[in-house]
Amino acid sequence: MKTVFVVGAGPAGFYAAQKIARASYPVVLFNRDIKPGGLAEYGIYPMKDKMKSGLRKQFGKVLDLPNVSYFGHLAVGAGRLLQIEELRQWNPAALVFAVGAQGTKKLGLPGEEARGVYSAKDFVYHYNQLPPFATQDFSTGKRVAIIGMGNVMVDIARWLLQDAPDRRSEEVTVIARRGPFEVKFDEKEFDHIEAHLDLRALQDELLRVKDRVAAAGQDITRVPETVFPLLAQPFREAAFPRLRFRFLSSPVEIHPGADGRIARLTVCENLLVAKNGGTAAKATDQATALDFDTLIFAIGDVADPTIGLPYGKDGYQTNPDTADPERAAYEVFDPQNGQVIPGNFVVGWARKASEGLVGMARLDAEKGAAHVLSYLESAAEKAAATPGEIQDLLARRGPELVTKQDLSCLGRAEELQARERGLNNFKFSDDPTMLAAIEEQKNRGGQLSAA
Ligand SMILES: Cc1cc2nc3c(=O)[nH]c(=O)nc-3n(C[C@H](O)[C@H](O)[C@H](O)COP(=O)(O)OP(=O)(O)OC[C@H]3O[C@@H](n4cnc5c(N)ncnc54)[C@H](O)[C@@H]3O)c2cc1C
């Protein structure tokens, strides 16, 4: 029997597992979080109900496959419950890493450790209720800066401007190192927050950077037709709280106040230069201090360096072989001995951090899984530890594992809570409560009662 272990049960883990399991190989999924889904559960905007429940259903169907097992609440990596080496000793025929991009991109700015400074991933984990972030302090103030101008920025601004139950924001400012033509968000996503756009402030900002964008061959008068169509329509006041942009600015220093919370941010002014058919920001020594009480970095993430896979400057090391680059790009490579680690693969955001939507993670995982399948054809038979044996071995170490049967119990407990509270969906926000809810459902024999 050739068993495949998949580490990570986000979209990439599920789509890889599905393809491998449908080819009749037993698959064991190991997941850090109790609940599966990764960013589909804990990153995608909470109000995108239809998309989230559609993905949950798809992942549920993978879990329903009889040859797929699930162990949640089980982080793999250095200093975690399970080391990669131990996984390998359980003799899987192949090991697929689909752990996403859990590392944080640090700019190394002075003052980065001030209170009120967050990474976007942690912030979205918080409002999507992923333990332990759900119960940690992610308080926001009146003047919030978001660094970066992609779709994640739009989600965070949307939360701060419209949906956060405890919102206090009066002004959200997007800070971008390049100019208005380099926005990275989708127009449809921006529609959600467009009503908050402070048009007067935007016009002033465009005037402020006009000459600098012209130096890179861009015409600022084209912004209304290409980037912010609202500017071409009859003027209207922005809805409160207001959304502003500050272009051609890079953060250089964070100044905490007496309470340890960010009070000001110094940004340097950038020039815009034409480069390789695109543009690049070039820092100047001109700096400006801006008042903010909250700062969120939405600049993408990196692969987690503590997992225990060989790590290079772009994340986990993959096979540099150019003879079959398509396949090589999914194979884990050990630069110390210059060899591929046989049967070890990486897929999804673990392979290319912060790249693309769920559809792209799916495509990547399925491509990776196809390479796993061809590897399995000629791989030696190995007597891998069975799910039962794995469960017994891990049970002795303490933390409670969550199996797919437990997930059904959790699903029932959540359904009950949602019903009691008149909500479409309910999620528990800490692990002990989730584990207790699973236990309670087990004790009830899984009966869904209104009590
Ligand atoms: C804020 C935000 C909003 C988004 N909104 C959308 C959207 O609206 N529509 C859309 O299509 N896409 C959206 N995306 C993109 C989408 O979430 C990703 O494309 C997709 O989730 C990547 O899948 P993945 O499985 O590679 O990684 P992830 O989803 O990050 O899954 C990684 C999995 O690995 C597990 N894991 C991590 N570390 C370990 C470990 N050490 N041991 C064991 N398990 C581990 C995690 O628990 C998780 O289950 C959004 C992304 C973000 C950040």
PDB file of all heavy atoms in Angstrom, residues 7-12 30-33 38-39 43-44 48 51 74-76 80 98-100 102 124 152 155 307 348-349 356-358 361, ligand 1:
ATOM      1  N   VAL A   7       0.441  17.551   4.361  1.00  0.00           N
ATOM      2  CA  VAL A   7       0.504  18.448   5.520  1.00  0.00           C
ATOM      3  C   VAL A   7      -0.140  19.767   5.123  1.00  0.00           C
ATOM      4  O   VAL A   7       0.335  20.454   4.213  1.00  0.00           O
ATOM      5  CB  VAL A   7       1.962  18.673   5.977  1.00  0.00           C
ATOM      6  CG1 VAL A   7       1.997  19.518   7.248  1.00  0.00           C
ATOM      7  CG2 VAL A   7       2.667  17.350   6.196  1.00  0.00           C
ATOM      8  N   GLY A   8      -1.233  20.108   5.813  1.00  0.00           N
ATOM      9  CA  GLY A   8      -1.970  21.333   5.504  1.00  0.00           C
ATOM     10  C   GLY A   8      -3.282  20.988   4.841  1.00  0.00           C
ATOM     11  O   GLY A   8      -3.301  20.284   3.833  1.00  0.00           O
ATOM     12  N   ALA A   9      -4.386  21.466   5.434  1.00  0.00           N
ATOM     13  CA  ALA A   9      -5.711  21.175   4.862  1.00  0.00           C
ATOM     14  C   ALA A   9      -6.409  22.472   4.490  1.00  0.00           C
ATOM     15  O   ALA A   9      -7.545  22.734   4.884  1.00  0.00           O
ATOM     16  CB  ALA A   9      -6.534  20.348   5.838  1.00  0.00           C
ATOM     17  N   GLY A  10      -5.684  23.329   3.749  1.00  0.00           N
ATOM     18  CA  GLY A  10      -6.308  24.478   3.103  1.00  0.00           C
ATOM     19  C   GLY A  10      -6.715  24.035   1.707  1.00  0.00           C
ATOM     20  O   GLY A  10      -6.672  22.829   1.387  1.00  0.00           O
ATOM     21  N   PRO A  11      -7.093  24.980   0.837  1.00  0.00           N
ATOM     22  CA  PRO A  11      -7.505  24.582  -0.515  1.00  0.00           C
ATOM     23  C   PRO A  11      -6.471  23.697  -1.207  1.00  0.00           C
ATOM     24  O   PRO A  11      -6.834  22.645  -1.772  1.00  0.00           O
ATOM     25  CB  PRO A  11      -7.650  25.932  -1.232  1.00  0.00           C
ATOM     26  CG  PRO A  11      -8.002  26.891  -0.136  1.00  0.00           C
ATOM     27  CD  PRO A  11      -7.269  26.424   1.078  1.00  0.00           C
ATOM     28  N   ALA A  12      -5.192  24.070  -1.162  1.00  0.00           N
ATOM     29  CA  ALA A  12      -4.183  23.285  -1.888  1.00  0.00           C
ATOM     30  C   ALA A  12      -4.111  21.863  -1.331  1.00  0.00           C
ATOM     31  O   ALA A  12      -4.045  20.890  -2.096  1.00  0.00           O
ATOM     32  CB  ALA A  12      -2.818  23.968  -1.807  1.00  0.00           C
ATOM     33  N   PHE A  30      -2.759  16.145   7.625  1.00  0.00           N
ATOM     34  CA  PHE A  30      -2.348  16.666   8.935  1.00  0.00           C
ATOM     35  C   PHE A  30      -2.537  18.179   8.893  1.00  0.00           C
ATOM     36  O   PHE A  30      -2.005  18.833   7.992  1.00  0.00           O
ATOM     37  CB  PHE A  30      -0.863  16.362   9.201  1.00  0.00           C
ATOM     38  CG  PHE A  30      -0.551  14.897   9.285  1.00  0.00           C
ATOM     39  CD1 PHE A  30      -0.248  14.172   8.151  1.00  0.00           C
ATOM     40  CD2 PHE A  30      -0.564  14.238  10.513  1.00  0.00           C
ATOM     41  CE1 PHE A  30       0.047  12.819   8.220  1.00  0.00           C
ATOM     42  CE2 PHE A  30      -0.273  12.880  10.593  1.00  0.00           C
ATOM     43  CZ  PHE A  30       0.028  12.172   9.456  1.00  0.00           C
ATOM     44  N   ASN A  31      -3.266  18.728   9.847  1.00  0.00           N
ATOM     45  CA  ASN A  31      -3.564  20.159   9.781  1.00  0.00           C
ATOM     46  C   ASN A  31      -3.315  20.855  11.114  1.00  0.00           C
ATOM     47  O   ASN A  31      -3.729  20.360  12.161  1.00  0.00           O
ATOM     48  CB  ASN A  31      -5.042  20.338   9.374  1.00  0.00           C
ATOM     49  CG  ASN A  31      -5.341  21.743   8.901  1.00  0.00           C
ATOM     50  OD1 ASN A  31      -4.528  22.357   8.219  1.00  0.00           O
ATOM     51  ND2 ASN A  31      -6.495  22.258   9.271  1.00  0.00           N
ATOM     52  N   ARG A  32      -2.683  22.011  11.043  1.00  0.00           N
ATOM     53  CA  ARG A  32      -2.394  22.796  12.259  1.00  0.00           C
ATOM     54  C   ARG A  32      -3.665  23.183  13.005  1.00  0.00           C
ATOM     55  O   ARG A  32      -3.749  23.086  14.235  1.00  0.00           O
ATOM     56  CB  ARG A  32      -1.641  24.075  11.841  1.00  0.00           C
ATOM     57  CG  ARG A  32      -1.341  25.047  12.962  1.00  0.00           C
ATOM     58  CD  ARG A  32      -0.961  26.412  12.384  1.00  0.00           C
ATOM     59  NE  ARG A  32      -2.071  26.992  11.646  1.00  0.00           N
ATOM     60  CZ  ARG A  32      -1.968  28.046  10.839  1.00  0.00           C
ATOM     61  NH1 ARG A  32      -0.816  28.629  10.644  1.00  0.00           N
ATOM     62  NH2 ARG A  32      -3.041  28.519  10.214  1.00  0.00           N
ATOM     63  N   ASP A  33      -4.657  23.640  12.262  1.00  0.00           N
ATOM     64  CA  ASP A  33      -5.880  24.145  12.880  1.00  0.00           C
ATOM     65  C   ASP A  33      -6.842  22.987  13.143  1.00  0.00           C
ATOM     66  O   ASP A  33      -6.792  21.966  12.460  1.00  0.00           O
ATOM     67  CB  ASP A  33      -6.556  25.159  11.954  1.00  0.00           C
ATOM     68  CG  ASP A  33      -5.571  26.232  11.491  1.00  0.00           C
ATOM     69  OD1 ASP A  33      -4.693  26.601  12.296  1.00  0.00           O
ATOM     70  OD2 ASP A  33      -5.684  26.682  10.331  1.00  0.00           O
ATOM     71  N   GLY A  38      -8.021  26.279   5.881  1.00  0.00           N
ATOM     72  CA  GLY A  38      -6.966  27.289   5.763  1.00  0.00           C
ATOM     73  C   GLY A  38      -7.560  28.670   5.549  1.00  0.00           C
ATOM     74  O   GLY A  38      -8.544  29.051   6.211  1.00  0.00           O
ATOM     75  N   LEU A  39      -7.012  29.403   4.613  1.00  0.00           N
ATOM     76  CA  LEU A  39      -7.475  30.777   4.371  1.00  0.00           C
ATOM     77  C   LEU A  39      -8.882  30.816   3.769  1.00  0.00           C
ATOM     78  O   LEU A  39      -9.538  31.854   3.811  1.00  0.00           O
ATOM     79  CB  LEU A  39      -6.500  31.511   3.455  1.00  0.00           C
ATOM     80  CG  LEU A  39      -5.184  31.957   4.109  1.00  0.00           C
ATOM     81  CD1 LEU A  39      -4.176  32.379   3.045  1.00  0.00           C
ATOM     82  CD2 LEU A  39      -5.421  33.106   5.089  1.00  0.00           C
ATOM     83  N   GLY A  43      -9.457  33.272   6.025  1.00  0.00           N
ATOM     84  CA  GLY A  43      -8.870  34.439   5.350  1.00  0.00           C
ATOM     85  C   GLY A  43      -9.900  35.144   4.497  1.00  0.00           C
ATOM     86  O   GLY A  43     -10.081  36.351   4.593  1.00  0.00           O
ATOM     87  N   ILE A  44     -10.628  34.376   3.696  1.00  0.00           N
ATOM     88  CA  ILE A  44     -11.632  34.963   2.799  1.00  0.00           C
ATOM     89  C   ILE A  44     -12.636  35.765   3.626  1.00  0.00           C
ATOM     90  O   ILE A  44     -13.014  35.363   4.729  1.00  0.00           O
ATOM     91  CB  ILE A  44     -12.327  33.853   1.953  1.00  0.00           C
ATOM     92  CG1 ILE A  44     -11.311  33.276   0.953  1.00  0.00           C
ATOM     93  CG2 ILE A  44     -13.541  34.412   1.217  1.00  0.00           C
ATOM     94  CD1 ILE A  44     -11.859  32.194   0.044  1.00  0.00           C
ATOM     95  N   LYS A  48     -18.421  36.882   2.548  1.00  0.00           N
ATOM     96  CA  LYS A  48     -18.507  36.114   1.293  1.00  0.00           C
ATOM     97  C   LYS A  48     -19.024  34.703   1.608  1.00  0.00           C
ATOM     98  O   LYS A  48     -18.365  33.693   1.372  1.00  0.00           O
ATOM     99  CB  LYS A  48     -17.140  36.052   0.615  1.00  0.00           C
ATOM    100  CG  LYS A  48     -16.689  37.393   0.053  1.00  0.00           C
ATOM    101  CD  LYS A  48     -15.411  37.228  -0.742  1.00  0.00           C
ATOM    102  CE  LYS A  48     -14.966  38.549  -1.314  1.00  0.00           C
ATOM    103  NZ  LYS A  48     -13.639  38.468  -1.951  1.00  0.00           N
ATOM    104  N   MET A  51     -19.370  31.892  -1.200  1.00  0.00           N
ATOM    105  CA  MET A  51     -18.090  31.302  -1.616  1.00  0.00           C
ATOM    106  C   MET A  51     -17.560  30.387  -0.514  1.00  0.00           C
ATOM    107  O   MET A  51     -17.122  29.257  -0.763  1.00  0.00           O
ATOM    108  CB  MET A  51     -17.084  32.428  -1.888  1.00  0.00           C
ATOM    109  CG  MET A  51     -15.738  31.923  -2.295  1.00  0.00           C
ATOM    110  SD  MET A  51     -14.510  33.225  -2.341  1.00  0.00           S
ATOM    111  CE  MET A  51     -15.068  34.197  -3.675  1.00  0.00           C
ATOM    112  N   LEU A  74      -2.888  19.766  14.889  1.00  0.00           N
ATOM    113  CA  LEU A  74      -1.611  19.063  14.878  1.00  0.00           C
ATOM    114  C   LEU A  74      -0.618  19.794  13.973  1.00  0.00           C
ATOM    115  O   LEU A  74      -0.566  19.543  12.772  1.00  0.00           O
ATOM    116  CB  LEU A  74      -1.851  17.634  14.350  1.00  0.00           C
ATOM    117  CG  LEU A  74      -0.639  16.743  14.236  1.00  0.00           C
ATOM    118  CD1 LEU A  74      -0.027  16.515  15.600  1.00  0.00           C
ATOM    119  CD2 LEU A  74      -1.029  15.407  13.637  1.00  0.00           C
ATOM    120  N   ALA A  75       0.122  20.713  14.583  1.00  0.00           N
ATOM    121  CA  ALA A  75       1.094  21.468  13.787  1.00  0.00           C
ATOM    122  C   ALA A  75       2.346  20.637  13.568  1.00  0.00           C
ATOM    123  O   ALA A  75       2.808  19.943  14.473  1.00  0.00           O
ATOM    124  CB  ALA A  75       1.441  22.774  14.483  1.00  0.00           C
ATOM    125  N   VAL A  76       2.873  20.723  12.366  1.00  0.00           N
ATOM    126  CA  VAL A  76       4.101  20.002  12.006  1.00  0.00           C
ATOM    127  C   VAL A  76       5.220  21.025  11.895  1.00  0.00           C
ATOM    128  O   VAL A  76       5.023  22.113  11.362  1.00  0.00           O
ATOM    129  CB  VAL A  76       3.902  19.285  10.643  1.00  0.00           C
ATOM    130  CG1 VAL A  76       5.210  18.689  10.150  1.00  0.00           C
ATOM    131  CG2 VAL A  76       2.835  18.206  10.766  1.00  0.00           C
ATOM    132  N   ARG A  80       7.110  22.038  17.156  1.00  0.00           N
ATOM    133  CA  ARG A  80       5.667  21.734  17.139  1.00  0.00           C
ATOM    134  C   ARG A  80       5.475  20.294  17.624  1.00  0.00           C
ATOM    135  O   ARG A  80       6.443  19.604  17.927  1.00  0.00           O
ATOM    136  CB  ARG A  80       5.091  21.871  15.729  1.00  0.00           C
ATOM    137  CG  ARG A  80       5.619  23.043  14.930  1.00  0.00           C
ATOM    138  CD  ARG A  80       4.845  24.318  15.209  1.00  0.00           C
ATOM    139  NE  ARG A  80       5.502  25.478  14.636  1.00  0.00           N
ATOM    140  CZ  ARG A  80       5.474  25.815  13.359  1.00  0.00           C
ATOM    141  NH1 ARG A  80       4.814  25.084  12.496  1.00  0.00           N
ATOM    142  NH2 ARG A  80       6.101  26.899  12.933  1.00  0.00           N
ATOM    143  N   ALA A  98       1.430  21.381   1.958  1.00  0.00           N
ATOM    144  CA  ALA A  98       0.457  22.365   1.464  1.00  0.00           C
ATOM    145  C   ALA A  98       0.140  23.300   2.632  1.00  0.00           C
ATOM    146  O   ALA A  98      -1.013  23.530   2.962  1.00  0.00           O
ATOM    147  CB  ALA A  98      -0.788  21.636   0.971  1.00  0.00           C
ATOM    148  N   VAL A  99       1.207  23.796   3.266  1.00  0.00           N
ATOM    149  CA  VAL A  99       1.060  24.524   4.536  1.00  0.00           C
ATOM    150  C   VAL A  99       0.833  26.023   4.352  1.00  0.00           C
ATOM    151  O   VAL A  99       0.787  26.770   5.331  1.00  0.00           O
ATOM    152  CB  VAL A  99       2.293  24.308   5.452  1.00  0.00           C
ATOM    153  CG1 VAL A  99       2.306  22.907   6.021  1.00  0.00           C
ATOM    154  CG2 VAL A  99       3.593  24.588   4.695  1.00  0.00           C
ATOM    155  N   GLY A 100       0.655  26.470   3.103  1.00  0.00           N
ATOM    156  CA  GLY A 100       0.400  27.885   2.875  1.00  0.00           C
ATOM    157  C   GLY A 100       1.632  28.730   3.171  1.00  0.00           C
ATOM    158  O   GLY A 100       2.756  28.227   3.259  1.00  0.00           O
ATOM    159  N   GLN A 102       2.852  30.862   5.935  1.00  0.00           N
ATOM    160  CA  GLN A 102       2.588  31.271   7.331  1.00  0.00           C
ATOM    161  C   GLN A 102       3.655  32.201   7.897  1.00  0.00           C
ATOM    162  O   GLN A 102       3.540  32.663   9.030  1.00  0.00           O
ATOM    163  CB  GLN A 102       2.458  30.039   8.236  1.00  0.00           C
ATOM    164  CG  GLN A 102       1.517  28.970   7.726  1.00  0.00           C
ATOM    165  CD  GLN A 102       0.088  29.477   7.574  1.00  0.00           C
ATOM    166  OE1 GLN A 102      -0.331  30.368   8.310  1.00  0.00           O
ATOM    167  NE2 GLN A 102      -0.646  28.930   6.623  1.00  0.00           N
ATOM    168  N   VAL A 124      -6.526  39.319   9.562  1.00  0.00           N
ATOM    169  CA  VAL A 124      -7.682  38.628   8.962  1.00  0.00           C
ATOM    170  C   VAL A 124      -7.974  37.321   9.704  1.00  0.00           C
ATOM    171  O   VAL A 124      -9.126  36.924   9.825  1.00  0.00           O
ATOM    172  CB  VAL A 124      -7.559  38.390   7.432  1.00  0.00           C
ATOM    173  CG1 VAL A 124      -7.289  39.674   6.692  1.00  0.00           C
ATOM    174  CG2 VAL A 124      -6.517  37.357   7.074  1.00  0.00           C
ATOM    175  N   VAL A 152      -6.119  42.202  -0.496  1.00  0.00           N
ATOM    176  CA  VAL A 152      -6.132  42.015   0.965  1.00  0.00           C
ATOM    177  C   VAL A 152      -6.332  43.367   1.651  1.00  0.00           C
ATOM    178  O   VAL A 152      -7.077  43.486   2.620  1.00  0.00           O
ATOM    179  CB  VAL A 152      -4.846  41.297   1.437  1.00  0.00           C
ATOM    180  CG1 VAL A 152      -4.767  41.271   2.950  1.00  0.00           C
ATOM    181  CG2 VAL A 152      -4.808  39.865   0.892  1.00  0.00           C
ATOM    182  N   ASP A 155     -10.003  44.087   1.571  1.00  0.00           N
ATOM    183  CA  ASP A 155     -10.745  43.345   2.612  1.00  0.00           C
ATOM    184  C   ASP A 155     -10.601  44.021   3.967  1.00  0.00           C
ATOM    185  O   ASP A 155     -11.569  44.189   4.709  1.00  0.00           O
ATOM    186  CB  ASP A 155     -10.189  41.919   2.741  1.00  0.00           C
ATOM    187  CG  ASP A 155     -10.791  40.962   1.723  1.00  0.00           C
ATOM    188  OD1 ASP A 155     -11.504  41.429   0.817  1.00  0.00           O
ATOM    189  OD2 ASP A 155     -10.528  39.747   1.828  1.00  0.00           O
ATOM    190  N   ILE A 307       9.174  25.234   9.438  1.00  0.00           N
ATOM    191  CA  ILE A 307       8.560  23.921   9.162  1.00  0.00           C
ATOM    192  C   ILE A 307       9.610  22.803   9.202  1.00  0.00           C
ATOM    193  O   ILE A 307       9.342  21.685   9.636  1.00  0.00           O
ATOM    194  CB  ILE A 307       7.866  23.948   7.769  1.00  0.00           C
ATOM    195  CG1 ILE A 307       6.596  24.784   7.824  1.00  0.00           C
ATOM    196  CG2 ILE A 307       7.599  22.555   7.233  1.00  0.00           C
ATOM    197  CD1 ILE A 307       5.395  24.092   8.387  1.00  0.00           C
ATOM    198  N   GLY A 348       0.685  24.833  -3.804  1.00  0.00           N
ATOM    199  CA  GLY A 348      -0.137  25.968  -3.358  1.00  0.00           C
ATOM    200  C   GLY A 348       0.708  27.128  -2.853  1.00  0.00           C
ATOM    201  O   GLY A 348       1.813  27.369  -3.328  1.00  0.00           O
ATOM    202  N   TRP A 349       0.185  27.834  -1.860  1.00  0.00           N
ATOM    203  CA  TRP A 349       0.880  29.011  -1.337  1.00  0.00           C
ATOM    204  C   TRP A 349       2.161  28.638  -0.609  1.00  0.00           C
ATOM    205  O   TRP A 349       2.997  29.476  -0.359  1.00  0.00           O
ATOM    206  CB  TRP A 349      -0.060  29.818  -0.422  1.00  0.00           C
ATOM    207  CG  TRP A 349      -0.955  30.750  -1.190  1.00  0.00           C
ATOM    208  CD1 TRP A 349      -1.368  30.601  -2.490  1.00  0.00           C
ATOM    209  CD2 TRP A 349      -1.542  31.968  -0.720  1.00  0.00           C
ATOM    210  NE1 TRP A 349      -2.173  31.655  -2.845  1.00  0.00           N
ATOM    211  CE2 TRP A 349      -2.311  32.504  -1.786  1.00  0.00           C
ATOM    212  CE3 TRP A 349      -1.518  32.650   0.493  1.00  0.00           C
ATOM    213  CZ2 TRP A 349      -3.026  33.697  -1.665  1.00  0.00           C
ATOM    214  CZ3 TRP A 349      -2.238  33.845   0.622  1.00  0.00           C
ATOM    215  CH2 TRP A 349      -2.978  34.364  -0.453  1.00  0.00           C
ATOM    216  N   GLY A 356      -2.209  34.363  -5.887  1.00  0.00           N
ATOM    217  CA  GLY A 356      -3.456  33.970  -6.533  1.00  0.00           C
ATOM    218  C   GLY A 356      -4.570  33.564  -5.594  1.00  0.00           C
ATOM    219  O   GLY A 356      -4.398  33.377  -4.395  1.00  0.00           O
ATOM    220  N   LEU A 357      -5.733  33.427  -6.212  1.00  0.00           N
ATOM    221  CA  LEU A 357      -6.952  33.085  -5.495  1.00  0.00           C
ATOM    222  C   LEU A 357      -7.061  31.561  -5.348  1.00  0.00           C
ATOM    223  O   LEU A 357      -6.195  30.817  -5.815  1.00  0.00           O
ATOM    224  CB  LEU A 357      -8.153  33.636  -6.273  1.00  0.00           C
ATOM    225  CG  LEU A 357      -8.161  35.168  -6.424  1.00  0.00           C
ATOM    226  CD1 LEU A 357      -9.328  35.610  -7.299  1.00  0.00           C
ATOM    227  CD2 LEU A 357      -8.220  35.869  -5.074  1.00  0.00           C
ATOM    228  N   VAL A 358      -8.159  31.139  -4.734  1.00  0.00           N
ATOM    229  CA  VAL A 358      -8.356  29.707  -4.503  1.00  0.00           C
ATOM    230  C   VAL A 358      -8.240  28.908  -5.805  1.00  0.00           C
ATOM    231  O   VAL A 358      -7.647  27.830  -5.825  1.00  0.00           O
ATOM    232  CB  VAL A 358      -9.730  29.454  -3.831  1.00  0.00           C
ATOM    233  CG1 VAL A 358     -10.090  27.986  -3.860  1.00  0.00           C
ATOM    234  CG2 VAL A 358      -9.728  29.964  -2.401  1.00  0.00           C
ATOM    235  N   ALA A 361      -4.701  28.236  -6.449  1.00  0.00           N
ATOM    236  CA  ALA A 361      -4.161  27.253  -5.492  1.00  0.00           C
ATOM    237  C   ALA A 361      -4.615  25.854  -5.897  1.00  0.00           C
ATOM    238  O   ALA A 361      -3.861  24.877  -5.813  1.00  0.00           O
ATOM    239  CB  ALA A 361      -4.629  27.583  -4.076  1.00  0.00           C
TER     240      ALA A 361
HETATM  241  C1  LIG B   1      -7.110  38.024   3.337  1.00  0.00           C
HETATM  242  C2  LIG B   1      -7.271  37.068   2.204  1.00  0.00           C
HETATM  243  C3  LIG B   1      -8.447  37.070   1.480  1.00  0.00           C
HETATM  244  C4  LIG B   1      -8.615  36.199   0.415  1.00  0.00           C
HETATM  245  N1  LIG B   1      -9.790  36.248  -0.273  1.00  0.00           N
HETATM  246  C5  LIG B   1      -9.968  35.407  -1.322  1.00  0.00           C
HETATM  247  C6  LIG B   1     -11.197  35.442  -2.050  1.00  0.00           C
HETATM  248  O1  LIG B   1     -12.088  36.226  -1.758  1.00  0.00           O
HETATM  249  N2  LIG B   1     -11.349  34.556  -3.070  1.00  0.00           N
HETATM  250  C7  LIG B   1     -10.381  33.649  -3.403  1.00  0.00           C
HETATM  251  O2  LIG B   1     -10.565  32.850  -4.330  1.00  0.00           O
HETATM  252  N3  LIG B   1      -9.192  33.618  -2.739  1.00  0.00           N
HETATM  253  C8  LIG B   1      -8.975  34.482  -1.719  1.00  0.00           C
HETATM  254  N4  LIG B   1      -7.785  34.459  -1.039  1.00  0.00           N
HETATM  255  C9  LIG B   1      -6.714  33.546  -1.499  1.00  0.00           C
HETATM  256  C10 LIG B   1      -6.897  32.115  -0.961  1.00  0.00           C
HETATM  257  O3  LIG B   1      -7.188  32.175   0.397  1.00  0.00           O
HETATM  258  C11 LIG B   1      -5.620  31.313  -1.254  1.00  0.00           C
HETATM  259  O4  LIG B   1      -5.481  31.234  -2.662  1.00  0.00           O
HETATM  260  C12 LIG B   1      -5.665  29.863  -0.726  1.00  0.00           C
HETATM  261  O5  LIG B   1      -6.223  29.809   0.572  1.00  0.00           O
HETATM  262  C13 LIG B   1      -4.248  29.258  -0.681  1.00  0.00           C
HETATM  263  O6  LIG B   1      -4.399  27.907  -0.300  1.00  0.00           O
HETATM  264  P1  LIG B   1      -3.269  27.036   0.437  1.00  0.00           P
HETATM  265  O7  LIG B   1      -3.928  25.757   0.761  1.00  0.00           O
HETATM  266  O8  LIG B   1      -2.056  27.020  -0.393  1.00  0.00           O
HETATM  267  O9  LIG B   1      -2.893  27.814   1.786  1.00  0.00           O
HETATM  268  P2  LIG B   1      -3.778  28.103   3.080  1.00  0.00           P
HETATM  269  O10 LIG B   1      -5.169  28.416   2.712  1.00  0.00           O
HETATM  270  O11 LIG B   1      -3.028  29.099   3.871  1.00  0.00           O
HETATM  271  O12 LIG B   1      -3.807  26.708   3.877  1.00  0.00           O
HETATM  272  C14 LIG B   1      -2.695  26.256   4.608  1.00  0.00           C
HETATM  273  C15 LIG B   1      -3.119  25.133   5.540  1.00  0.00           C
HETATM  274  O13 LIG B   1      -1.938  24.598   6.135  1.00  0.00           O
HETATM  275  C16 LIG B   1      -2.133  24.437   7.526  1.00  0.00           C
HETATM  276  N5  LIG B   1      -0.819  24.591   8.173  1.00  0.00           N
HETATM  277  C17 LIG B   1      -0.055  25.691   8.243  1.00  0.00           C
HETATM  278  N6  LIG B   1       1.070  25.456   8.920  1.00  0.00           N
HETATM  279  C18 LIG B   1       1.022  24.165   9.296  1.00  0.00           C
HETATM  280  C19 LIG B   1       1.892  23.333  10.036  1.00  0.00           C
HETATM  281  N7  LIG B   1       3.034  23.769  10.532  1.00  0.00           N
HETATM  282  N8  LIG B   1       1.517  22.043  10.269  1.00  0.00           N
HETATM  283  C20 LIG B   1       0.344  21.561   9.776  1.00  0.00           C
HETATM  284  N9  LIG B   1      -0.528  22.326   9.070  1.00  0.00           N
HETATM  285  C21 LIG B   1      -0.179  23.604   8.823  1.00  0.00           C
HETATM  286  C22 LIG B   1      -3.103  25.530   7.923  1.00  0.00           C
HETATM  287  O14 LIG B   1      -3.782  25.145   9.104  1.00  0.00           O
HETATM  288  C23 LIG B   1      -4.011  25.581   6.691  1.00  0.00           C
HETATM  289  O15 LIG B   1      -5.091  24.686   6.843  1.00  0.00           O
HETATM  290  C24 LIG B   1      -7.577  35.314   0.043  1.00  0.00           C
HETATM  291  C25 LIG B   1      -6.392  35.307   0.776  1.00  0.00           C
HETATM  292  C26 LIG B   1      -6.227  36.173   1.841  1.00  0.00           C
HETATM  293  C27 LIG B   1      -4.946  36.192   2.618  1.00  0.00           C
END
